[in-house]
Amino acid sequence: MIEFIGAFLLMAIGLVALLTKDNLIKKVIGLGLFTDGIHLFLISLGWRGGGLAPIIPDITFRQFALLVDPLPQALVLTSIVIDLSITAVALAIIVQVYKYYGTLSAKKLGDK
Amino acid sequence: MMFDTYSFLIVPVFLVAAFSIPVAKLYKRKLPENIALYASLLSALLLAASIPALSSAKTLSYTIGGWKPPYGISIALDQMSAVFIAVSLLALILCIVFSKEHLRTHKSEYYSLLCLFGVGMTGIFHTADLFNMFVFFEILSISSYALACYAKNKGAFRSALNYLMLGSFGTSLMLLGIALLYGITGTLNMADMAVKLEGLMPTTPAVLIAYSFIAAGILLKAAVVPLHAWKPAVIKNSMPEVGALFATASTATALYAFFRVSYTVFGFSEVALFRNMLLVAGIATMIVGALMAVSQKNLLGLLAYSTISQTGYVLVAFGLANYTAGLFHLFNVIIIELTLFFAAGILIRSAGTSDIVSLGSKKITHPLLYWVMLLAFLSNAGVPLLNGFASKWMIYVSGAAQAPLVALVAVLVSAITFAYSQKAFAIIFSGRKNTVNIKISQTSRACFFMLAGLMIFFGVFYVGGIYVFEMAAESMLDQAGFIAAVLGW
């Protein structure tokens, strides 16, 4: 249970940062935290105490029920890569915004 | 049959094209644009190769690597996705052609991004796996963020950043919804999930929470009111060719994903509440789009709001359960908006401004542009004998039968559309001084003639053309057929 609470707390922190922070870089960090909360949630779905790695030839039939679900980890791996590229594109655009507007404040940017 | 599953090669074709372009640029400066063009033409051929098989079997499916459906990733193509692929490929091909003809610089990265856009778009149309759909959505989004920066004015970066923040928050919500669904059902395959959800729906309300996360993420991409604010800003600041792609292909893709999730996975086609919500969202989108379009001073902003307003009509048609009219209207809107955006692109490049009033202070005497824009604006407003009217008429008729008030609003919005279209058109072509020198290449001319031909054909002979959309609507609602085909029952 604690891991789900942690995941949703992380999402909430990310959401607050995304909505209330004025600095564009902090907004990007908030976006990253929000996605990481979802990743934690997905990983927790596949967690099993005392579980085994799901590699079929290494195990006996008795251990079969102990295998963890490998799919969430694969999903999160994919999603982390996507998150990385979004962060990269976001930072690249922010560099350009700073070059043209000379500010990183979302509020000042909105006024210009 | 041999060519059955060739359409599944479209995604790899675009992917290879996207990553070979930066290398190809080193050999020949003009190679990138040709690679992009030939990749998209090849995709159209691959789609055509799958059509004969599609007309007999309603849904074609393929499993990657031979892993059986609920475990491996399935790919499926039904008549609905074939129609959407055809329409979006048309938009992409025309976008590449017009960029090739009218952009002076030969930026290889630009064509690479267009191919990546193609990967995301066709991937969403092909996939039968929810997480796969999310990944392709992200590919589409990331290439869109980069494409939105392409105009060299500084406003483009600001609107692109805004788009990125909203868009990636939307796709994160989608991921959250998919994660919840995976936690509840234990599967990601759309067909398998549909089977499991059927039993779960009445007892587990969490399923609906998951659905609303996914739907919010998708509808943000489709720019449905109140999630529309990013789109006009992005279109206003980006290049007209890219704007055309955002207005047509990405809206169509998002709507496809929305219908696929709502009808195929969740089976909402018979739910009255869902239809009413579509009606409310559609009417709001229709009215807000049209009213905002009236006050626009920028030609591209006007076109962007006009697209949003027309998306509302599509949702209204679906809410009235007239699916054929909805798909037909979506197709018509795409043809109309493509024409308007490309014509506007040529005008804006030649005149050096996108402000409607400053365009009006210049003399524009190009007969082809004049007639093509007149035709498209009239069709957009729903004037008889043009395609925009044919589909709007079907929406009015089914509205009058089921909910007269909805039909009345639709007619009123159509009148507003007529007003702002004709106002903009009259101002743009009213100038008597400062002649603008407009050059249109032969290829672009041919494209304009083709688009105008489509507008007239689907306006006059729509009884013949509507058959395709009837089939698409039928396959969209055929949940059992999709499940059977994907799971191999």
Side-chain angles (χ1 to χ4, degrees):
Chain A
M1 201 61 210
I2 183 78
E3 64 269 18
F4 290 112
I5 296 171
F8 279 96
L9 214 60
L10 205 53
M11 277 184 234
I13 294 171
L15 201 55
V16 168
L18 185 62
L19 293 177
T20 61
K21 290 291 168 194
D22 187 43
N23 191 308
L24 292 174
I25 307 272
K26 286 184 185 168
K27 274 183 189 289
V28 173
I29 294 174
L31 201 62
L33 279 177
F34 184 73
T35 324
D36 283 339
I38 300 172
H39 294 164
L40 190 59
F41 174 69
L42 256 172
I43 284 285
S44 321
L45 283 177
W47 185 79
R48 172 175 288 168
L52 291 175
I55 303 166
I56 306 260
D58 290 351
I59 55 163
T60 60
F61 187 72
R62 189 183 292 272
Q63 290 169 315
F64 206 75
L66 287 174
L67 294 183
V68 294
D69 183 358
L71 200 57
Q73 295 162 29
L75 303 186
V76 168
L77 197 60
T78 315
S79 185
I80 285 175
V81 176
I82 291 171
D83 201 27
L84 173 82
S85 53
I86 285 190
T87 312
V89 174
L91 293 177
I93 296 178
I94 288 175
V95 168
Q96 294 295 326
V97 166
Y98 187 72
K99 209 161 98 188
Y100 284 103
Y101 289 92
T103 177
L104 281 179
S105 152
K107 211 172 167 190
K108 282 184 193 157
L109 203 61
D111 295 339
K112 279 189 185 177
Chain B
M1 271 175 272
M2 257 187 83
F3 303 116
D4 278 14
T5 49
Y6 273 26
S7 118
F8 303 141
L9 290 174
I10 292 177
V11 181
V13 162
F14 272 122
L15 206 55
V16 169
F19 291 113
S20 62
I21 281 172
V23 184
K25 178 193 159 198
L26 301 177
Y27 292 101
K28 217 171 158 195
R29 207 167 56 91
K30 279 204 161 194
L31 210 50
E33 51 203 61
N34 288 329
I35 290 180
L37 184 62
Y38 290 133
S40 50
L41 288 175
L42 178 63
S43 310
L45 271 182
L46 289 171
L47 176 68
S50 288
I51 299 282
L54 257 187
S55 54
S56 53
K58 290 236 184 300
T59 310
L60 304 173
S61 76
Y62 178 80
T63 47
I64 296 175
W67 291 88
K68 288 262 162 55
Y71 307 108
I73 294 173
S74 315
I75 297 179
L77 180 80
D78 62 3
Q79 288 158 352
M80 175 205 182
S81 33
V83 168
F84 271 92
I85 296 172
V87 174
S88 315
L89 271 182
L90 177 72
L92 188 63
I93 291 173
L94 286 178
C95 173
I96 293 172
V97 168
F98 275 90
S99 306
K100 197 167 136 69
E101 298 291 326
H102 296 281
L103 293 188
R104 291 201 186 81
T105 51
H106 300 284
K107 291 261 184 194
S108 67
E109 303 84 4
Y110 173 71
Y111 292 99
S112 191
L113 285 169
L114 282 182
C115 285
L116 267 185
F117 190 94
V119 171
M121 190 174 84
T122 51
I124 292 171
F125 292 141
H126 274 125
T127 186
D129 183 281
L130 266 183
F131 188 76
N132 220 5
M133 195 176 86
F134 161 75
V135 172
F136 283 122
F137 240 103
E138 289 284 21
I139 294 175
L140 182 79
S141 305
I142 293 173
S143 51
S144 304
Y145 306 146
L147 281 171
C149 296
Y150 251 89
K152 275 288 176 242
N153 63 20
K154 59 183 192 173
F157 292 113
R158 194 172 66 179
S159 56
L161 186 64
N162 191 13
Y163 177 25
L164 186 145
M165 295 285 182
L166 267 173
S168 44
F169 178 63
T171 40
S172 299
L173 279 184
M174 215 170 129
L175 178 63
L176 180 59
I178 291 169
L180 280 171
L181 275 184
Y182 179 70
I184 296 165
T185 62
T187 181
L188 286 169
N189 186 299
M190 285 185 191
D192 196 26
M193 189 175 280
V195 173
K196 288 186 172 148
L197 278 178
E198 215 169 354
L200 278 170
M201 199 82 82
T203 54
T204 323
V207 169
L208 293 178
I209 298 175
Y211 172 77
S212 49
F213 281 137
I214 298 179
I218 294 175
L219 289 180
L220 194 140
K221 199 83 194 150
V224 169
V225 170
L227 305 170
H228 67 289
W230 59 271
K231 194 165 195 168
V234 167
I235 290 180
K236 224 187 281 183
N237 287 317
S238 58
M239 294 193 308
E241 285 78 15
V242 174
L245 212 53
F246 288 164
T248 58
S250 64
T251 309
T253 313
L255 284 179
Y256 169 86
F258 180 64
F259 297 145
R260 180 57 92 206
V261 170
S262 306
Y263 294 126
T264 307
V265 180
F266 281 81
F268 279 160
S269 55
E270 297 300 325
V271 180
L273 178 68
F274 179 70
R275 275 194 205 157
N276 291 338
M277 279 164 71
L278 276 187
L279 274 182
V280 171
I283 289 173
T285 310
M286 212 157 72
I287 295 175
V288 172
L291 290 181
M292 292 298 285
V294 173
S295 63
Q296 288 301 307
K297 295 190 179 73
N298 187 311
L299 181 57
L300 290 176
L302 182 132
L303 295 183
Y305 275 113
S306 161
T307 322
I308 291 174
S309 160
Q310 301 301 319
T311 313
Y313 275 93
V314 177
L315 292 181
V316 164
F318 275 81
L320 292 168
N322 193 343
Y323 304 104
T324 312
L327 293 178
F328 186 35
H329 192 63
L330 185 62
F331 169 77
N332 290 338
V333 171
I334 287 178
I335 300 293
I336 294 166
E337 298 297 336
L338 282 176
T339 317
L340 284 175
F341 268 101
F342 292 136
I346 291 173
L347 260 186
I348 290 168
R349 283 242 163 69
S350 322
T353 173
S354 61
D355 187 68
I356 294 176
V357 177
S358 355
L359 277 173
S361 68
K362 290 175 176 156
K363 190 179 180 186
I364 297 154
T365 51
H366 201 282
L368 178 71
L369 268 189
Y370 180 86
W371 287 109
V372 150
M373 282 188 91
L374 180 66
L375 208 62
F377 268 133
L378 286 178
S379 184
N380 197 21
V383 168
L385 292 184
L386 290 169
N387 63 347
F389 174 74
S391 50
K392 274 185 184 171
W393 179 250
M394 292 167 69
I395 297 172
Y396 299 156
V397 168
S398 55
Q402 293 171 46
L405 200 63
V406 175
L408 186 69
V409 173
V411 174
L412 275 178
V413 171
S414 192
I416 301 175
T417 312
F418 187 80
Y420 69 70
S421 306
Q422 293 318 305
K423 191 190 91 185
F425 182 77
I427 294 177
I428 289 170
F429 287 98
S430 68
R432 291 282 168 271
K433 280 180 284 182
N434 306 333
T435 308
V436 177
N437 190 14
I438 295 176
K439 280 202 188 98
I440 300 183
S441 67
Q442 290 299 330
T443 327
S444 313
R445 261 170 217 270
C447 291
F448 276 130
F449 278 122
M450 188 193 71
L451 287 167
L454 280 174
M455 273 192 272
I456 295 171
F457 176 81
F458 279 97
V460 181
F461 306 106
Y462 69 91
V463 185
I466 200 125
Y467 173 64
V468 179
F469 302 101
E470 266 166 17
M471 284 202 314
E474 209 174 286
S475 78
M476 181 179 76
L477 297 176
D478 185 14
Q479 195 189 11
F482 183 86
I483 293 171
V486 170
L487 294 183
W489 286 354

